[in-house]
Amino acid sequence: MTEHVWSYGPASGHLAWADLTGYGVEASDGHIGKVDKHSYEVGDAYLVVDIGVWIFGKEVLLPASTVSRIDLEDEKVYVNTTKDQIKRAPEFHRDKHLQDPGYREELGTHYGIGGLPGQGPSGSHRA
């Protein structure tokens, strides 16, 4: 898995001091939920998104590299994935998965941004 999977991209507009908790999360095809927790540590950045609107009490972990843009004024985070791709992500349990390297590898592969070349859903690998 590359170190870039768990880092915000330079064009995302992420600022280390910004608290994203409560921000709306917009997938490429519409609203998906709200940020419940986030990390901005270099090489270990992620969003925990509450998607309880669809499935009561469900949360997903999104690697920071899925963030395409952050709008501080409108309090929204835009991600470069679809709602369906987020819903199909490996099940997330906060107590079990936040520090689990195997789970993170699985997520990177699911989003096509980690794991071994050719293992992503699109059959491609991004570094």
Side-chain angles (χ1 to χ4, degrees), residues 60-82:
V60 295
L61 184 69
L62 294 177
S65 61
T66 62
V67 175
S68 57
R69 180 169 66 93
I70 298 170
D71 186 329
L72 296 174
E73 188 173 312
D74 287 339
E75 297 189 349
K76 290 186 179 181
V77 176
Y78 295 85
V79 295
N80 57 11
T81 61
T82 66

Side-chain angles (χ1 to χ4, degrees), residues 14 20 23-24 27 35 37 58 65 75 88 99-100 103 108 111-112:
H14 183 263
L20 304 177
Y23 277 37
V35 175
K37 176 180 173 54
K58 181 166 180 175
S65 61
E75 297 189 349
R88 290 185 292 106
Q99 301 303 321
D100 180 353
Y103 178 75
Y111 288 111

Side-chain angles (χ1 to χ4, degrees), residues 4-27:
H4 302 296
V5 172
W6 301 99
S7 298
Y8 290 96
S12 71
H14 183 263
L15 301 169
W17 54 263
D19 182 3
L20 304 177
T21 305
Y23 277 37
V25 178
E26 301 292 324

